[in-house]
C-alpha cells in the first residue's frame, strides 16, 4: 500500500483532532479508507475506521471526538484485500491491546498468518498488515517487553514496510524497511509519520529514521535501535516551514493551483547551491555511460533529458523506465552515472533501480522535489526542484520543474547549447496560462464527447505526446495514447475514424513537415484535429497557439501547459475529482 501513517503521543493535548488533520494533509498519498485508534483513559484502545476520504469517514464516525493523549491514524490505498471497513487500518490484535497502521507490503504474510492462526490468533481482515499486530501480540505476551517484541517481529517480516504500533501501556513503536518514516519532535509531543507533511503544522524539528531502524516512543522520549537491537542516535533536522503551506488559495482544486504555479516554479527549480550543482554537473560530464530513470511523468522527463543530453553534450544518454530497470542492468559499471528523477523521491521502482545500480558500481544523481526524501538521501548528489508541495495526484509543476532543472544543468555543462532562460520560459508559460479560458471552451463547447484521444509528436515532442496522454487518462479517465507520429503508419492508423480526436504537436521546427503529413493521414480518415503550434494551418479543426521558442528543445515546456489544462477541464466535464483520481496514489511506494 501507499498509505499515510501517523502516530502521536502528547503530554498536553487530546490527539484525535491532530491525527485527522494530519491525515487530511497527507491524503494525496492514498485515500480509499481511513481509520484512527486512540488510547482512552480506561487504558483501552478504541478503533474507528471506514471506507471513504478523511472528511467522509470523520463525519460519519466522529473521529475527532475520540479521547486520549496517544493515537495512530491511517489513510489507505488498497493492495492486499479489497476496500472494506474491516480492511481499513488500524488493525488491532486479538486482545485489542495493540493496534497497528502500516504502509508497504509484507510479502510473506500468508505463511505467517497460517502459523498465527494455528496458534489460535483470530484475524478479522484480509490484509497483510494484520499479521504485524498478531506477531507483536505473540512476542509481547512472551516477554512483556516492547523492544524485544519489535525485534522479534521485524526479524520475521519480509517485504518493505513502515509501521506504527500503539500499545495499551501508552507507548508507540515503529519500524521502517524501504518505506519512509520520520519522527517529528515538539515541546510536548512526538509524531511518527510517513511524511513530514503529517506534522509540519505542529513542528519543524524532524528525525529521519534510517532503513532498519526501530523507534520506541513513550513519555520519556524516543529511543531508537537498529534491527539488531543496537541503540543509535538520529540527529534532529529542521524542515522548511514553507512545506506546510498546503491550501488551495483562490483555486477550486490543487491541480489547477499547481498548474498555475508553473509561472514561478520553473524559475525556482534553477536556483541551486553552487557547490552542489557543480559536483552534479562534473559527475555527468565525467561519466562514460549515463542512464536516466523515473516513473510516470518523471519517466517522461527522463526521455526529454536523454534526448536533450545527447544533443547538448554529444554523448549517449539512455532513458530506462524505473520498473524495467532491473531487467536492463548489463551495461552498468563504475563508469555509469544513473540520474534518477522523482517528484516524491519515494517511488519504490526508482529507489530499487538506484539500489541495484549502486551495487553494480554506478554513481547516483537525483532530481527530486522532496529534498528530505529517501531518493535524495540515497544519491551521491541530489538537486531539488523547489516546487513546493505537489498535492494533486497528477504531476504538473514538478514536470516542468524537472525539465527546467535538467536543462539548466545541461546548459551549464555544454556552455548554453539549449539556451534555457528561466525568465523567458516563465513569461511564455504565464502567457499560455492566460489563455486557459479558451482551453476550457474547447473542452466544453467545441469538443465532441469522445472516448479516444490520440496525441502525435516527433522527436522532443513525442515525450509530450506521452505526458499529455497520461494527464488525460489520470485526470479525466479518457482513453488517450501518445504516438510517435512516424509510427502512425505501422499500426495506429487503423484506429483513426471520425470518432477520434487527435492532438498534433507541431511547432515549426525540423519535425514540422513530417508531422503535418501525419496530420493529413489522420484527417483523411475523418479524425478531428487539434493543432498545438506557433503557425496556423487549415488542416486543424481547432488550434492552440504556442509561442515561438528559440531552440526546439524548449517547446516541451510550453506545449505541455495546454495539455494539462485540457485534461483538468475534461476531468471537470466528466465529473471526476481531478485532485484524487480513482485507483491512483501520488506516491507509489510499492513495487
Ligand atoms: C505515481 C503518480 C504519477 C507520478 C509517478 C512517479 O504513479 O500517480 O503522477 O508521475 O507516481 O512519481 P514520482 O514521485 O517518482 O515522480
Amino acid at each position: 500500500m501507499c498509505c499515510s501513517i501517523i502516530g502521536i503521543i502528547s503530554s498536553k493535548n487530546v490527539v484525535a483532532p491532530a491525527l485527522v488533520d494530519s491525515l487530511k494533509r497527507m491524503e494525496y498519498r492514498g485515500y480509499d479508507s481511513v481509520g484512527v485508534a486512540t488510547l482512552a483513559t480506561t487504558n483501552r484502545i478504541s478503533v474507528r475506521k471506514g471506507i471513504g476520504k478523511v472528511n467522509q469517514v470523520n463525519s460519519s464516525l466522529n473521529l475527532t471526538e475520540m479521547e486520549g493523549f496517544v493515537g495512530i491514524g491511517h489513510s489507505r490505498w488498497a493492495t492486499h484485500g479489497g476496500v472494506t471497513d474491516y480492511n481499513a487500518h488500524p488493525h488491532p490484535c486479538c486482545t485489542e491491546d495493540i493496534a497497528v497502521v502500516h504502509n508497504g507490503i509484507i510479502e510473506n504474510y500468508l505463511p505467517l498468518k497460517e502459523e498465527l492462526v494455528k496458534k489460535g490468533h483470530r484475524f478479522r481482515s484480509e490484509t497483510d498488515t494484520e499479521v504485524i499486530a498478531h506477531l507483536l501480540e505473540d512476542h509481547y505476551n512472551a516477554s512483556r517487553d516492547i523492544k524485544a517484541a519489535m525485534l522479534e517481529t521485524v526479524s520475521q517480516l519480509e517485504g518493505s514496510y513502515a509501521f506504527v504500533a500503539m500499545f495499551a501501556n501508552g507507548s508507540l513503536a515503529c519500524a521502517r524497511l524501504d518505506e519512509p518514516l520520520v519522527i517529528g519532535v515538539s515541546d510536548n509531543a512526538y509524531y511518527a509519520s510517513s511524511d513530514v507533511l503529517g506534522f509540519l503544522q505542529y513542528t519543524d524539528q524532524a528525525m529521519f529514521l534510517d532503513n532498519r531502524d526501530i523507534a520506541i516512543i513513550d513519555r520519556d522520549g524516543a529511543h531508537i535501535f537498529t534491527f539488531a537491537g543496537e541503540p543509535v542516535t538520529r540527529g534532529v533536522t529542521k524542515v522548511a516551514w514553507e512545506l506546510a503551506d498546503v491550501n488551495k488559495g483562490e483555486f477550486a482544486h490543487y491541480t489547477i493551483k499547481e498548474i498555475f504555479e508553473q509561472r514561478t516554479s520553473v524559475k525556482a527549480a534553477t536556483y541551486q547551491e553552487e557547490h552542489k550543482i557543480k559536483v552534479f554537473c562534473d559527475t555527468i560530464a565525467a561519466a562514460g555511460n549515463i542512464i536516466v530513470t523515473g516513473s510516470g511523468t518523471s519517466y517522461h522527463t527522463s526521455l526529454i533529458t536523454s534526448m536533450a543530453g545527447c544533443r547538448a553534450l554529444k554523448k549517449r544518454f539512455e532513458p530506462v523506465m524505473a520498473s524495467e530497470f532491473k531487467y536492463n542492468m548489463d551495461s552498468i559499471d563504475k563508469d555509469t552515472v544513473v540520474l534518477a528523477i522523482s517528484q516524491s523521491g519515494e517511488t519504490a521502482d526508482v529507489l530499487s533501480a538506484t539500489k541495484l545500480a549502486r551495487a553494480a558500481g554506478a554513481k547516483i544523481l537525483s532530481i527530486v522535489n522532496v529534498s528530505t526524501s529517501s531518493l535524495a538521501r540515497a544519491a551521491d548528489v541530489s538537486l531539488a526542484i523547489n516546487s513546493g508541495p505537489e498535492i494533486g495526484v497528477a504531476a504538473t509543476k514538478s514536470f516542468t520543474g524537472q525539465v527546467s532543472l535538467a536543462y539548466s544543468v545541461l546548459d551549464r555543462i555544454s556552455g548554453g547549447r539549449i539556451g534555457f532562460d528561466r525568465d523567458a520560459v516563465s513569461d511564455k508559460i504565464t502567457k499560455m496560462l492566460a489563455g486557459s479560458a479558451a482551453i476550457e471552451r474547447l473542452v466544453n463547447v467545441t469538443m465532441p464527447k469522445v472516448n479516444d484521444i490520440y496525441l502525435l509528436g516527433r522527436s522532443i515532442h513525442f515525450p509530450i505526446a506521452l505526458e499529455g496522454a497520461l494527464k488525460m487518462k489520470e485526470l479525466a479517465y479518457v482513453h488517450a495514447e501518445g504516438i510517435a507520429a512516424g509510427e502512425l503508419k505501422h499500426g495506429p492508423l487503423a484506429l483513426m475514424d471520425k470518432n477520434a480526436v487527435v492532438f498534433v504537436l507541431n511547432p515549426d521546427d525540423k519535425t514540422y513537415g513530417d508531422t503535418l503529413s501525419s496530420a493529413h493521414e489522420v484527417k483523411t480518415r475523418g479524425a478531428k484535429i487539434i493543432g498545438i503550434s506557433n503557425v496556423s494551418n487549415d488542416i486543424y479543426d481547432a488550434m492552440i497557439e504556442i509561442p515561438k521558442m528559440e531552440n526546439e528543445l524548449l517547446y516541451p515546456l510550453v506545449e505541455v501547459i495546454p495539455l494539462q489544462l485540457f485534461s483538468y477541464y475534461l476531468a471537470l466535464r466528466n465529473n471526476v475529482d481531478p485532485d484524487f483520481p480513482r485507483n491512483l496514489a501520488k506516491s507509489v511506494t510499492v513495487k
Side-chain angles (χ1 to χ4, degrees):
M1 283 158 297
C2 313
C3 313
S4 317
I5 54 182
I6 174 80
I8 308 179
I9 287 195
S10 172
S11 55
K12 253 176 102 183
N13 301 312
V14 169
V15 291
L19 289 169
V20 172
D21 187 36
S22 296
L23 292 174
K24 275 190 212 157
R25 286 170 189 271
M26 296 190 290
E27 195 161 36
Y28 69 95
R29 293 176 65 96
Y31 38 76
D32 60 41
S33 33
V34 172
V36 164
T38 58
L39 185 65
T41 35
T42 52
N43 273 359
R44 294 290 310 157
I45 290 178
S46 85
V47 179
R48 295 185 195 174
K49 56 186 186 173
I51 297 172
K53 298 218 275 180
V54 182
N55 278 338
Q56 290 163 315
V57 179
N58 187 29
S59 56
S60 57
L61 299 178
N62 298 325
L63 303 176
T64 43
E65 285 167 20
M66 295 170 76
E67 58 173 29
F69 292 78
V70 184
I72 53 179
H74 188 270
S75 75
R76 175 172 192 244
W77 185 71
T79 50
H80 285 71
V83 180
T84 64
D85 290 347
Y86 277 122
N87 288 341
H89 300 214
H91 290 287
C93 65
C94 301
T95 56
E96 302 189 359
D97 282 340
I98 301 170
V100 173
V101 288
H102 158 236
N103 174 23
I105 290 180
I106 307 301
E107 282 168 358
N108 59 338
Y109 82 103
L110 280 174
L112 290 173
K113 188 170 175 175
E114 269 167 35
E115 228 170 90
L116 287 159
V117 169
K118 269 190 218 147
K119 284 186 174 177
H121 286 265
R122 283 171 294 110
F123 280 73
R124 303 173 178 93
S125 78
E126 300 153 346
T127 63
D128 52 343
T129 304
E130 200 181 339
V131 297
I132 306 176
H134 294 283
L135 282 175
L136 284 171
E137 178 177 43
D138 217 43
H139 298 307
Y140 187 64
N141 282 346
S143 62
R144 305 310 289 174
D145 179 52
I146 293 179
K147 181 180 167 190
M150 286 292 282
L151 291 175
E152 289 284 346
T153 300
V154 296
S155 74
Q156 287 176 275
L157 299 177
E158 287 166 20
S160 60
Y161 52 83
F163 68 84
V164 183
M166 177 169 62
F167 287 75
N169 75 351
S171 303
L172 293 182
C174 43
R176 77 162 282 219
L177 177 62
D178 292 335
E179 294 288 347
L181 192 59
V182 48
I183 296 182
V185 186
S186 75
D187 285 347
N188 48 46
Y190 283 95
Y191 306 83
S193 179
S194 43
D195 192 318
V196 289
L197 284 178
F199 55 75
L200 208 46
Q201 65 275 35
Y202 308 111
T203 177
D204 63 350
Q205 304 293 310
M207 271 192 300
F208 289 90
L209 294 187
D210 270 4
N211 240 348
R212 299 175 188 280
D213 273 359
I214 289 172
I216 298 174
I217 312 170
D218 52 32
R219 294 198 191 284
D220 301 333
H223 316 277
I224 305 177
F225 309 92
T226 64
F227 278 13
E230 299 296 323
V232 279
T233 318
R234 304 287 170 225
V236 176
T237 315
K238 193 168 160 31
V239 209
W241 273 114
E242 314 84 75
L243 276 177
D245 178 26
V246 275
N247 59 62
K248 294 182 211 158
E250 66 196 90
F251 294 94
H253 297 98
Y254 289 114
T255 304
I256 188 72
K257 173 180 178 244
E258 288 158 7
I259 290 173
F260 272 81
E261 280 173 353
Q262 293 174 107
R263 294 179 288 203
T264 50
S265 57
V266 286
K267 292 206 258 186
T270 65
Y271 295 118
Q272 298 293 331
E273 287 170 47
E274 176 53 29
H275 71 277
K276 263 174 103 184
I277 195 164
K278 181 172 184 316
V279 185
F280 196 95
C281 291
D282 290 349
T283 310
I284 293 179
N289 179 18
I290 301 172
I291 297 180
V292 193
T293 193
S295 297
T297 292
S298 299
Y299 171 64
H300 300 150
T301 308
S302 309
L303 291 173
I304 291 176
T305 305
S306 300
M307 280 187 209
C310 288
R311 285 203 215 168
L313 307 187
K314 312 279 176 247
K315 186 164 177 162
R316 182 114 196 99
F317 282 63
E318 189 190 347
V320 179
M321 252 175 224
S323 56
E324 290 287 315
F325 199 96
K326 66 176 171 204
Y327 312 110
N328 291 284
M329 293 283 300
D330 305 285
S331 67
I332 297 179
D333 58 17
K334 65 176 182 16
D335 289 329
T336 305
V337 167
V338 171
L339 169 55
I341 302 180
S342 169
Q343 186 285 129
S344 60
E346 301 294 352
T347 300
D349 288 331
V350 181
L351 290 172
S352 124
T354 56
K355 218 184 212 177
L356 291 170
R358 166 86 70 205
K363 290 200 177 58
I364 312 295
L365 299 178
S366 71
I367 290 182
V368 295
N369 188 28
V370 181
S371 59
T372 48
S373 59
S374 304
L375 181 60
R377 284 177 288 128
D380 295 295
V381 191
S382 179
L383 299 181
I385 56 173
N386 310 316
S387 293
E390 190 178 62
I391 305 296
V393 165
T396 52
K397 63 177 175 173
S398 63
F399 173 69
T400 47
Q402 291 166 345
V403 174
S404 300
L405 177 52
Y407 279 4
S408 57
V409 163
L410 294 172
D411 263 343
R412 186 176 163 131
I413 308 173
S414 67
R417 288 218 179 103
I418 297 177
F420 175 82
D421 172 339
R422 62 182 165 221
D423 293 318
V425 166
S426 155
D427 285 351
K428 286 177 174 161
I429 288 180
T430 305
K431 284 202 187 96
M432 293 294 317
L433 287 165
S436 67
I439 310 275
E440 192 176 0
R441 227 175 10 257
L442 176 68
V443 171
N444 292 320
V445 184
T446 325
M447 261 255 313
K449 191 154 175 46
V450 280
N451 296 323
D452 303 294
I453 298 180
Y454 301 93
L455 298 95
L456 302 183
R458 282 183 154 75
S459 177
I460 200 75
H461 311 295
F462 172 50
I464 297 300
L466 296 176
E467 175 59 10
L470 180 62
K471 290 300 88 126
M472 290 175 199
K473 286 183 263 201
E474 284 179 305
L475 289 174
Y477 308 163
V478 170
H479 167 246
E481 221 179 300
I483 300 169
E487 290 298 296
L488 199 57
K489 55 186 175 295
H490 299 301
L493 204 51
L495 300 170
M496 299 300 157
D497 60 18
K498 62 177 180 15
N499 298 319
V501 166
V502 181
F503 281 83
V504 179
L505 297 163
N506 200 20
D508 70 340
D509 60 13
K510 57 177 181 289
T511 65
Y512 182 75
D514 286 346
T515 303
L516 201 59
S517 305
S518 310
H520 278 286
E521 285 166 23
V522 293
K523 180 85 174 185
T524 314
R525 272 80 188 176
K528 292 245 158 347
I529 301 198
I530 302 175
I532 299 189
S533 182
N534 57 321
V535 284
S536 52
N537 193 297
D538 288 346
I539 194 173
Y540 304 138
D541 295 287
M543 174 164 157
I544 298 171
E545 193 174 340
I546 54 172
K548 167 97 188 141
M549 302 305 270
E550 299 309 317
N551 180 328
E552 65 189 53
L553 292 173
L554 297 169
Y555 276 115
L557 288 161
V558 291
E559 280 170 348
V560 76
I561 306 290
L563 295 172
Q564 294 170 342
L565 289 167
F566 183 91
S567 308
Y568 171 75
Y569 291 118
L570 196 58
L572 299 189
R573 187 176 113 167
N574 292 352
N575 285 324
V576 175
D577 179 346
D579 289 340
F580 301 109
R582 67 185 176 206
N583 306 338
L584 299 178
K586 179 78 183 154
S587 187
V588 181
T589 58
V590 286
K591 282 184 205 156

